[in-house]
């Protein structure tokens, strides 16, 4: 049975009448066409056509040829919240060639190069989000008006009040075969996290895009808004996208980050292999450049910083450090089989994020980069001077600073690949620099409050 017949057979068995042919642009916005199943042959052979310039940053202008998005049959997923629809993630092409401005194409090529090393990258994500309502004046409030505790994290009452939403998400995750294993109220009022099992990097990235779409859809049906915005409230903890990742042998499916495994012995007491420590070393070394990719909007840098870990502060890292089961650092080692990179936030494009992580980690392996000794301090309790004295670098304070760092990082530049006009990295940096300046040129209410009559 060929791919078209297999998809048609599955669609008929599922009662699917339409296909979302989907891709994402630089920001991670899901773009789609709704294709009736009667047009499946054309979709699979020719792709769905899009004017790329209209979709977002995709390296096109109004004179550019159409993007033809070719579905990946392996990504077929029936959407249980709208069961007559299935989604397939697509690889955009232009004039018959994979389009190098496509985040999914960028990650796919990174993973194909990784496979030549007999390696597989497996990832799991913790996707935090907030449920809010819009007020008459345009501002937002926590959707659950009773959710006003100073320390709401894990609050059973708050969890119970949102049970219909959380249960619906959980059942949908299981219906799609992802394996939901936890649902909780997070550190901020109105903030939640729902977890599913890890998989290979491309599958996890595809699933995160669908997860966000599902949560937005279910919230809208209940008259709410869901947001993955890194810092929707200035006085509440922001939305992170912590990533757990590890490398595995492609031929034997053997995990390589465990000390004493095929990756080598544990040398720093955290249960990891030398291969894993080198991977960590690459992430730590390139962290100031990596930030622009994984914390990619102006609002991201309002989430980052140092503060006591209570609601209204931050769990986001401020320094390029790693250590054991210590949530004040950028890389935490929760178990001796993986690393948790706590740097990314809810605005991160997972395809670009995983490709950038992989580029930095492989540079660590290729160059035997030593991450140094694990940090055991509570970094929230140390001054910047004390942290610097330990040789730990601070992360960039704004998107502009981060973009400038990324612009000179050839390791991530190579990892994100080239376009006909030069490195994708340079295109990304230009878009993000312009994004920062557009926000910077706006006069805010806070500026008026502070400066209107000060002088």
């Amino acid at each position: 049975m060929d791919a078209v017949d297999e998809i048609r057979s599955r669609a008929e068995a599922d009662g699917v009448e339409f296909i979302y042919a989907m891709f994402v642009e630089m920001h991670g916005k899901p773009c789609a066409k709704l294709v009736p199943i009667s047009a499946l042959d054309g979709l699979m052979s020719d792709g769905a056509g899009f004017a790329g310039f209209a979709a977002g940053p995709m390296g096109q202008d109004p004179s550019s040829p159409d993007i033809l998005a070719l579905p990946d049959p392996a990504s077929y997923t029936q959407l249980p919240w709208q069961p007559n629809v299935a989604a397939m993630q697509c690889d955009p092409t232009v004039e018959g060639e994979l389009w190098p401005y496509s985040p999914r194409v960028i990650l796919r090529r990174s993973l194909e190069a990784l496979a030549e090393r007999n390696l597989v990258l497996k990832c799991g994500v913790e996707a935090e989000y907030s449920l809010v309502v819009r007020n008459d004046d345009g501002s937002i409030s926590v959707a659950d008006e009773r959710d006003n505790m100073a320390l709401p994290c894990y609050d059973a009452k708050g969890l119970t009040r949102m049970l219909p939403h959380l249960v619906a998400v959980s059942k949908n995750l299981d219906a799609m075969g992802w394996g939901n294993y936890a649902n909780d109220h997070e550190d901020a009022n109105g903030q939640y996290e729902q977890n599913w099992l890890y998989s290979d990097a491309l599958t996890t990235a595809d699933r995160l895009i669908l997860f966000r779409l599902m949560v937005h859809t279910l919230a809208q049906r209940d008259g709410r808004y869901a947001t993955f915005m890194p810092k929707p409230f200035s006085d509440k903890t922001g939305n992170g996208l912590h990533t757990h990742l590890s490398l595995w042998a492609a031929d034997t499916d053997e995990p390589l980050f465990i000390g004493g495994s095929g990756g080598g012995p544990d040398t720093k007491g955290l249960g990891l292999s030398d291969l894993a420590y080198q991977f960590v070393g690459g992430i730590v070394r390139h962290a100031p450049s990596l930030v622009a990719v994984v914390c990619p909007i102006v609002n991201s840098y309002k989430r980052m910083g140092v503060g006591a870990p209570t609601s209204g502060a931050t769990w986001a890292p401020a320094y390029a450090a790693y250590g054991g089961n210590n949530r004040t650092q950028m890389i935490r080692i929760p178990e001796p089989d993986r690393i948790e990179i706590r740097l990314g936030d809810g605005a991160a494009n997972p395809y670009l994020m995983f490709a950038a992580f992989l580029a930095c980690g492989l540079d660590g392996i290729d160059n035997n980069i030593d991450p140094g000794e694990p940090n055991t301090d509570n970094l929230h309790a140390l001054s910047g001077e004390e942290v610097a004295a330990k040789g730990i670098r601070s992360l960039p304070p704004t998107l502009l600073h981060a973009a400038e760092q990324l612009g000179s990082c050839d390791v991530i530049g190579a990892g994100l690949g080239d376009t006909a006009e030069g490195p994708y990295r340079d295109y990304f940096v230009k878009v993000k620099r312009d994004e920062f300046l557009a926000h910077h040129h706006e006069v805010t209410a806070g500026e008026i409050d502070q400066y209107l009559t000060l002088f």
Side-chain angles (χ1 to χ4, degrees):
M1 184 181 295
D2 65 19
V4 178
D5 289 337
E6 182 177 352
I7 295 300
R8 182 179 289 108
S9 177
R10 292 184 64 182
E12 289 176 357
D14 293 339
V16 164
E17 301 173 295
F18 297 93
I19 299 288
Y20 276 161
M22 298 181 64
F23 70 93
V24 302
E25 39 79 90
M26 179 188 290
H27 300 305
K29 180 187 77 175
C31 303
K33 278 195 172 180
L34 185 66
V35 179
I37 203 69
S38 60
L40 181 64
D41 284 345
L43 173 64
M44 298 299 289
S45 62
D46 303 326
F50 296 84
F53 175 72
M58 285 290 289
Q60 292 205 318
D61 61 41
S63 68
S64 299
D66 279 358
I67 283 175
L68 293 178
L70 294 175
D72 180 351
S75 70
Y76 171 93
T77 306
Q78 184 184 16
L79 308 183
W81 60 95
Q82 44 197 48
N84 66 327
V85 179
M88 283 197 284
Q89 304 301 324
C90 299
D91 292 320
T93 67
V94 174
E95 297 184 328
E97 300 293 332
L98 287 171
W99 191 233
Y101 292 90
S102 161
R104 194 175 194 269
V105 168
I106 289 170
L107 178 59
R108 178 184 284 283
R109 286 175 167 170
S110 295
L111 297 176
E112 288 171 352
L114 185 67
E116 295 177 1
R117 299 173 179 240
N118 190 39
L119 295 173
V120 172
L121 177 66
K122 297 189 181 184
C123 300
V125 291
E126 301 176 21
E128 296 174 337
Y129 63 93
S130 302
L131 293 176
V132 303
V133 293
R134 295 295 292 264
N135 302 316
D136 291 342
D137 63 358
S139 62
I140 61 171
S141 300
V142 172
D144 179 4
E145 63 181 13
R146 292 181 175 86
D147 190 352
N148 54 16
M149 295 177 65
L151 296 173
C153 199
Y154 309 126
D155 175 44
K157 298 186 296 297
L159 200 66
T160 302
R161 288 192 297 270
M162 282 298 169
L163 209 56
H165 169 85
L166 298 172
V167 166
V169 172
S170 174
K171 288 182 176 180
N172 287 338
L173 292 173
D174 282 341
M176 292 185 289
W178 299 4
N180 172 238
Y181 64 87
N183 309 273
D184 66 83
H185 191 305
E186 280 292 310
D187 197 52
N189 307 113
Q191 185 184 49
Y192 306 91
E193 178 181 300
Q194 300 181 258
N195 307 112
W196 65 90
L197 297 175
Y198 70 90
S199 188
D200 66 275
L202 187 64
T203 297
T204 294
D206 288 344
R207 288 177 174 178
L208 178 59
I209 298 304
L210 281 185
F211 176 78
R212 289 171 173 170
L213 177 63
M214 172 178 62
V215 171
H216 281 299
T217 302
L218 296 182
Q220 179 183 347
R221 290 177 181 175
D222 292 334
R224 309 182 183 107
Y225 289 84
T227 181
F228 294 83
M229 181 178 176
K231 191 74 169 176
F233 297 98
S234 60
D235 63 341
K236 295 174 177 40
T237 306
N239 292 312
L241 184 63
H242 302 158
T243 300
H244 296 252
L245 58 80
S246 55
L247 290 176
W248 296 57
D251 56 351
T252 63
D253 200 34
E254 176 190 6
L256 300 179
F257 273 14
I258 301 174
S261 72
D266 178 14
T267 57
K268 297 184 183 297
L270 297 178
L272 298 180
S273 65
D274 278 349
L275 185 82
Y277 288 122
Q278 292 163 0
F279 195 98
V280 168
I283 298 288
V284 170
R285 173 171 292 185
H286 299 296
S289 302
L290 183 62
V291 175
V293 179
V294 304
C295 301
I297 65 173
V298 170
N299 180 258
S300 297
Y301 298 82
K302 298 178 181 180
R303 169 182 168 266
M304 297 172 68
V306 177
T310 58
S311 187
T314 182
W315 288 96
Y319 307 109
Y322 88 104
N325 199 352
N326 175 344
R327 287 181 168 84
T328 69
Q329 29 216 349
M330 184 183 73
I331 298 178
R332 180 175 76 108
I333 314 302
E335 299 287 345
D337 60 353
R338 67 190 188 278
I339 65 174
E340 178 194 23
I341 305 177
R342 300 175 57 80
L343 188 57
D345 65 35
N349 183 317
Y351 301 105
L352 299 179
M353 180 172 74
F354 293 164
F357 284 159
L358 185 58
C360 295
L362 290 180
D363 185 62
I365 292 171
D366 292 342
N367 293 287
N368 194 22
I369 296 175
D370 186 343
E373 290 304 307
N375 172 66
T376 59
D377 291 309
N378 175 1
L379 294 177
H380 288 163
L382 300 181
S383 68
E385 292 75 16
E386 290 172 316
V387 173
K390 293 177 172 292
I392 297 173
R393 292 176 297 168
S394 297
L395 298 174
T398 72
L399 180 60
L400 182 62
H401 289 84
E404 296 295 340
Q405 291 272 3
L406 176 60
S408 62
C409 183
D410 292 337
V411 167
I412 298 178
L416 298 181
D418 292 321
T419 72
E421 288 73 36
Y424 179 84
R425 173 204 62 193
D426 294 350
Y427 178 67
F428 184 95
V429 167
K430 180 184 184 305
V431 170
K432 292 304 171 179
R433 185 185 293 118
D434 291 347
E435 187 176 331
F436 174 87
L437 293 175
H439 281 270
H440 188 65
H441 292 156
E442 291 184 4
V443 178
T444 66
E447 290 173 273
I448 293 174
D449 290 343
Q450 183 172 358
Y451 300 127
L452 185 65
T453 60
L454 178 62
F455 311 109

